[in-house]
Amino acid sequence: MRIGELASRAGVSVRSLRYYEEQGLLTSTRSASGQRHYTDHEVERVVFIQQLFAAGLSSRTIVELLPCVDSPSEDNSDAALERMALERDRLSERIADLVRTRDALAGLMTMAQAHRERQRSAAGD
């Protein structure tokens, strides 16, 4: 199938598919005229890549995980699990940072509200 059909069947843009190829996430064969051609298998691969992106993984990390899919083995599975654990830990730290930031903002809002109330009370005296 050509790139437009793959995009339609996988629910992504043609631009995304070109990006995936550029990043080494997806491969195609080329016709004599240079058109990309894909097999039905690539539909599943693109859907899987989309799931990995939705999980917060970068294209660089996804490239590291794909050997587990392309060449399943215990070593590849162990490497993929280790890499996913690192990403999960990175995301957990990011979440903790966001919670701290949110809490600091909530504290500033409380201070601003108290200040506004003091100003209103002073103006009413």
Side-chain angles (χ1 to χ4, degrees):
M1 83 185 81
R2 292 179 33 197
I3 195 167
E5 183 180 348
L6 176 59
S8 177
R9 288 179 58 189
V12 300
S13 68
V14 169
R15 184 174 181 225
S16 291
L17 296 176
R18 288 184 182 125
Y19 174 77
Y20 296 168
E21 277 200 51
E22 202 175 274
Q23 297 302 306
L25 305 173
L26 186 65
T27 58
S28 65
T29 57
R30 297 285 182 132
S31 68
S33 62
Q35 292 180 332
R36 293 174 170 92
H37 289 275
Y38 302 92
T39 65
D40 288 337
H41 171 74
E42 271 73 39
V43 175
E44 293 173 27
R45 185 178 186 93
V46 170
V47 170
F48 180 62
I49 290 168
Q50 286 294 109
Q51 291 171 336
L52 294 170
F53 276 122
L57 302 178
S58 67
S59 58
R60 186 180 324 169
T61 300
I62 294 171
V63 165
E64 293 176 25
L65 296 176
L66 288 177
C68 184
V69 175
D70 297 335
S71 303
S73 71
E74 192 169 326
D75 288 342
N76 285 342
S77 292
D78 289 345
L81 286 169
E82 184 177 321
R83 186 64 174 113
M84 285 187 283
L86 288 171
E87 285 301 309
R88 182 202 54 217
D89 294 346
R90 181 188 63 79
L91 288 170
S92 293
E93 183 56 38
R94 209 167 136 211
I95 290 167
D97 287 344
L98 287 170
V99 167
R100 284 190 290 275
T101 301
R102 182 205 58 206
D103 292 348
L105 180 58
L108 289 171
M109 290 173 69
T110 299
M111 288 173 45
Q113 288 168 339
H115 178 71
R116 184 180 65 190
E117 291 302 319
R118 283 192 303 274
Q119 286 180 324
R120 283 183 181 162
S121 293
D125 288 344

